[in-house]
mmCIF file of all heavy atoms in Angstrom:
data_model
loop_
_atom_site.group_PDB
_atom_site.id
_atom_site.type_symbol
_atom_site.label_atom_id
_atom_site.label_comp_id
_atom_site.label_asym_id
_atom_site.label_seq_id
_atom_site.Cartn_x
_atom_site.Cartn_y
_atom_site.Cartn_z
ATOM 1 N N LYS A 1 95.014 89.158 106.078
ATOM 2 C CA LYS A 1 93.944 88.580 105.261
ATOM 3 C C LYS A 1 92.650 89.450 105.303
ATOM 4 O O LYS A 1 91.903 89.450 104.355
ATOM 5 C CB LYS A 1 93.655 87.152 105.736
ATOM 6 C CG LYS A 1 94.715 86.176 105.368
ATOM 7 C CD LYS A 1 94.365 84.782 105.731
ATOM 8 C CE LYS A 1 95.557 83.879 105.352
ATOM 9 N NZ LYS A 1 95.212 82.475 105.369
ATOM 10 N N ALA A 2 92.449 90.112 106.418
ATOM 11 C CA ALA A 2 91.266 90.998 106.541
ATOM 12 C C ALA A 2 91.369 92.151 105.521
ATOM 13 O O ALA A 2 90.381 92.513 104.863
ATOM 14 C CB ALA A 2 91.103 91.529 107.933
ATOM 15 N N LEU A 3 92.576 92.673 105.335
ATOM 16 C CA LEU A 3 92.808 93.745 104.359
ATOM 17 C C LEU A 3 92.534 93.208 102.980
ATOM 18 O O LEU A 3 91.886 93.905 102.152
ATOM 19 C CB LEU A 3 94.212 94.338 104.483
ATOM 20 C CG LEU A 3 94.613 95.383 103.456
ATOM 21 C CD1 LEU A 3 93.676 96.598 103.541
ATOM 22 C CD2 LEU A 3 96.064 95.762 103.608
ATOM 23 N N TYR A 4 92.993 92.004 102.659
ATOM 24 C CA TYR A 4 92.746 91.405 101.372
ATOM 25 C C TYR A 4 91.265 91.218 101.137
ATOM 26 O O TYR A 4 90.752 91.561 100.053
ATOM 27 C CB TYR A 4 93.502 90.045 101.301
ATOM 28 C CG TYR A 4 93.158 89.314 100.041
ATOM 29 C CD1 TYR A 4 93.753 89.632 98.802
ATOM 30 C CD2 TYR A 4 92.236 88.247 100.048
ATOM 31 C CE1 TYR A 4 93.458 88.926 97.671
ATOM 32 C CE2 TYR A 4 91.926 87.583 98.915
ATOM 33 C CZ TYR A 4 92.541 87.912 97.724
ATOM 34 O OH TYR A 4 92.240 87.212 96.575
ATOM 35 N N ARG A 5 90.530 90.719 102.122
ATOM 36 C CA ARG A 5 89.104 90.481 101.966
ATOM 37 C C ARG A 5 88.341 91.779 101.762
ATOM 38 O O ARG A 5 87.438 91.866 100.912
ATOM 39 C CB ARG A 5 88.521 89.720 103.143
ATOM 40 C CG ARG A 5 88.903 88.219 103.131
ATOM 41 C CD ARG A 5 88.115 87.425 104.161
ATOM 42 N NE ARG A 5 88.316 87.905 105.538
ATOM 43 C CZ ARG A 5 89.280 87.478 106.332
ATOM 44 N NH1 ARG A 5 90.124 86.590 105.919
ATOM 45 N NH2 ARG A 5 89.354 87.971 107.560
ATOM 46 N N TRP A 6 88.691 92.803 102.571
ATOM 47 C CA TRP A 6 88.021 94.125 102.405
ATOM 48 C C TRP A 6 88.333 94.700 100.983
ATOM 49 O O TRP A 6 87.460 95.265 100.364
ATOM 50 C CB TRP A 6 88.528 95.083 103.453
ATOM 51 C CG TRP A 6 87.801 94.956 104.799
ATOM 52 C CD1 TRP A 6 87.926 93.920 105.650
ATOM 53 C CD2 TRP A 6 86.893 95.885 105.330
ATOM 54 N NE1 TRP A 6 87.124 94.160 106.754
ATOM 55 C CE2 TRP A 6 86.506 95.388 106.552
ATOM 56 C CE3 TRP A 6 86.410 97.108 104.895
ATOM 57 C CZ2 TRP A 6 85.585 96.046 107.378
ATOM 58 C CZ3 TRP A 6 85.525 97.761 105.731
ATOM 59 C CH2 TRP A 6 85.117 97.239 106.959
ATOM 60 N N THR A 7 89.565 94.548 100.549
ATOM 61 C CA THR A 7 89.913 95.058 99.272
ATOM 62 C C THR A 7 89.172 94.306 98.154
ATOM 63 O O THR A 7 88.669 94.942 97.193
ATOM 64 C CB THR A 7 91.481 94.888 99.020
ATOM 65 O OG1 THR A 7 92.137 95.642 100.020
ATOM 66 C CG2 THR A 7 91.865 95.456 97.674
ATOM 67 N N LEU A 8 89.076 93.006 98.285
ATOM 68 C CA LEU A 8 88.367 92.232 97.265
ATOM 69 C C LEU A 8 86.906 92.627 97.231
ATOM 70 O O LEU A 8 86.325 92.837 96.171
ATOM 71 C CB LEU A 8 88.492 90.715 97.562
ATOM 72 C CG LEU A 8 87.844 89.788 96.563
ATOM 73 C CD1 LEU A 8 88.421 89.960 95.147
ATOM 74 C CD2 LEU A 8 87.996 88.338 97.019
ATOM 75 N N GLY A 9 86.272 92.794 98.389
ATOM 76 C CA GLY A 9 84.911 93.265 98.431
ATOM 77 C C GLY A 9 84.715 94.634 97.833
ATOM 78 O O GLY A 9 83.775 94.883 97.046
ATOM 79 N N ALA A 10 85.587 95.571 98.188
ATOM 80 C CA ALA A 10 85.513 96.924 97.650
ATOM 81 C C ALA A 10 85.723 96.930 96.141
ATOM 82 O O ALA A 10 85.064 97.650 95.402
ATOM 83 C CB ALA A 10 86.536 97.828 98.337
ATOM 84 N N ASP A 11 86.635 96.098 95.674
ATOM 85 C CA ASP A 11 86.910 95.977 94.255
ATOM 86 C C ASP A 11 85.726 95.448 93.497
ATOM 87 O O ASP A 11 85.332 95.963 92.466
ATOM 88 C CB ASP A 11 88.150 95.124 94.033
ATOM 89 C CG ASP A 11 88.596 95.124 92.603
ATOM 90 O OD1 ASP A 11 88.968 96.171 92.108
ATOM 91 O OD2 ASP A 11 88.588 94.064 91.963
ATOM 92 N N LEU A 12 85.127 94.383 94.040
ATOM 93 C CA LEU A 12 83.966 93.790 93.369
ATOM 94 C C LEU A 12 82.791 94.773 93.320
ATOM 95 O O LEU A 12 82.116 94.931 92.286
ATOM 96 C CB LEU A 12 83.510 92.504 94.070
ATOM 97 C CG LEU A 12 84.396 91.300 93.819
ATOM 98 C CD1 LEU A 12 84.033 90.145 94.727
ATOM 99 C CD2 LEU A 12 84.348 90.858 92.344
ATOM 100 N N LEU A 13 82.589 95.507 94.409
ATOM 101 C CA LEU A 13 81.489 96.492 94.446
ATOM 102 C C LEU A 13 81.762 97.636 93.470
ATOM 103 O O LEU A 13 80.926 97.960 92.612
ATOM 104 C CB LEU A 13 81.315 97.063 95.844
ATOM 105 C CG LEU A 13 80.277 98.154 95.996
ATOM 106 C CD1 LEU A 13 78.881 97.627 95.637
ATOM 107 C CD2 LEU A 13 80.290 98.738 97.401
ATOM 108 N N SER A 14 82.940 98.232 93.565
ATOM 109 C CA SER A 14 83.224 99.390 92.713
ATOM 110 C C SER A 14 83.301 99.032 91.238
ATOM 111 O O SER A 14 82.743 99.732 90.363
ATOM 112 C CB SER A 14 84.512 100.099 93.129
ATOM 113 O OG SER A 14 85.622 99.229 93.015
ATOM 114 N N ASN A 15 83.925 97.907 90.905
ATOM 115 C CA ASN A 15 84.008 97.473 89.512
ATOM 116 C C ASN A 15 82.638 97.033 88.984
ATOM 117 O O ASN A 15 82.356 97.206 87.795
ATOM 118 C CB ASN A 15 85.069 96.408 89.293
ATOM 119 C CG ASN A 15 86.452 96.952 89.222
ATOM 120 O OD1 ASN A 15 86.627 98.102 88.875
ATOM 121 N ND2 ASN A 15 87.437 96.154 89.566
ATOM 122 N N SER A 16 81.815 96.439 89.847
ATOM 123 C CA SER A 16 80.455 96.081 89.410
ATOM 124 C C SER A 16 79.675 97.335 89.009
ATOM 125 O O SER A 16 78.984 97.339 87.964
ATOM 126 C CB SER A 16 79.728 95.333 90.501
ATOM 127 O OG SER A 16 80.277 94.089 90.732
ATOM 128 N N LEU A 17 79.737 98.332 89.835
ATOM 129 C CA LEU A 17 79.029 99.591 89.513
ATOM 130 C C LEU A 17 79.608 100.229 88.237
ATOM 131 O O LEU A 17 78.866 100.717 87.363
ATOM 132 C CB LEU A 17 79.099 100.564 90.694
ATOM 133 C CG LEU A 17 78.327 100.092 91.920
ATOM 134 C CD1 LEU A 17 78.609 101.055 93.078
ATOM 135 C CD2 LEU A 17 76.853 100.030 91.622
ATOM 136 N N TYR A 18 80.952 100.234 88.162
ATOM 137 C CA TYR A 18 81.634 100.831 86.986
ATOM 138 C C TYR A 18 81.242 100.079 85.686
ATOM 139 O O TYR A 18 80.768 100.684 84.715
ATOM 140 C CB TYR A 18 83.117 100.843 87.210
ATOM 141 C CG TYR A 18 83.906 101.364 86.029
ATOM 142 C CD1 TYR A 18 83.905 102.746 85.720
ATOM 143 C CD2 TYR A 18 84.552 100.505 85.140
ATOM 144 C CE1 TYR A 18 84.605 103.197 84.605
ATOM 145 C CE2 TYR A 18 85.242 100.990 84.048
ATOM 146 C CZ TYR A 18 85.260 102.337 83.783
ATOM 147 O OH TYR A 18 85.933 102.802 82.695
ATOM 148 N N PHE A 19 81.463 98.781 85.687
ATOM 149 C CA PHE A 19 81.183 97.984 84.471
ATOM 150 C C PHE A 19 79.632 97.932 84.199
ATOM 151 O O PHE A 19 79.256 97.648 83.053
ATOM 152 C CB PHE A 19 81.779 96.611 84.542
ATOM 153 C CG PHE A 19 83.263 96.542 84.321
ATOM 154 C CD1 PHE A 19 84.103 96.027 85.259
ATOM 155 C CD2 PHE A 19 83.830 97.092 83.151
ATOM 156 C CE1 PHE A 19 85.443 95.997 85.061
ATOM 157 C CE2 PHE A 19 85.172 97.040 82.939
ATOM 158 C CZ PHE A 19 85.998 96.504 83.903
ATOM 159 N N GLY A 20 78.843 98.183 85.214
ATOM 160 C CA GLY A 20 77.408 98.261 84.991
ATOM 161 C C GLY A 20 77.007 99.432 84.095
ATOM 162 O O GLY A 20 75.885 99.419 83.493
ATOM 163 N N LEU A 21 77.905 100.382 83.921
ATOM 164 C CA LEU A 21 77.632 101.505 82.989
ATOM 165 C C LEU A 21 77.460 101.024 81.576
ATOM 166 O O LEU A 21 76.890 101.754 80.726
ATOM 167 C CB LEU A 21 78.738 102.533 83.077
ATOM 168 C CG LEU A 21 78.910 103.271 84.409
ATOM 169 C CD1 LEU A 21 80.147 104.145 84.405
ATOM 170 C CD2 LEU A 21 77.665 104.092 84.708
ATOM 171 N N VAL A 22 77.820 99.806 81.293
ATOM 172 C CA VAL A 22 77.643 99.240 79.949
ATOM 173 C C VAL A 22 76.158 99.226 79.628
ATOM 174 O O VAL A 22 75.772 99.243 78.422
ATOM 175 C CB VAL A 22 78.280 97.809 79.843
ATOM 176 C CG1 VAL A 22 77.387 96.767 80.528
ATOM 177 C CG2 VAL A 22 78.552 97.420 78.419
ATOM 178 N N GLY A 23 75.282 99.259 80.608
ATOM 179 C CA GLY A 23 73.851 99.230 80.420
ATOM 180 C C GLY A 23 73.238 100.582 80.156
ATOM 181 O O GLY A 23 72.003 100.678 80.027
ATOM 182 N N LEU A 24 74.016 101.616 80.035
ATOM 183 C CA LEU A 24 73.494 102.940 79.794
ATOM 184 C C LEU A 24 73.317 103.190 78.270
ATOM 185 O O LEU A 24 73.839 104.106 77.695
ATOM 186 C CB LEU A 24 74.372 104.035 80.367
ATOM 187 C CG LEU A 24 74.438 104.061 81.887
ATOM 188 C CD1 LEU A 24 75.351 105.164 82.351
ATOM 189 C CD2 LEU A 24 73.041 104.242 82.466
ATOM 190 N N GLY A 25 72.561 102.364 77.658
ATOM 191 C CA GLY A 25 72.293 102.508 76.221
ATOM 192 C C GLY A 25 71.737 101.233 75.689
ATOM 193 O O GLY A 25 71.595 100.246 76.431
ATOM 194 N N PRO A 26 71.455 101.200 74.401
ATOM 195 C CA PRO A 26 70.889 99.992 73.817
ATOM 196 C C PRO A 26 71.869 98.851 73.821
ATOM 197 O O PRO A 26 73.111 99.039 73.786
ATOM 198 C CB PRO A 26 70.545 100.410 72.390
ATOM 199 C CG PRO A 26 71.408 101.577 72.084
ATOM 200 C CD PRO A 26 71.643 102.255 73.425
#
């Protein structure tokens, strides 16, 4: 379960930064 939680956290962080690129423009 610790691996699952770490993976979920890493996924939320990395995908948040990635999908945040939607803000690079109007």
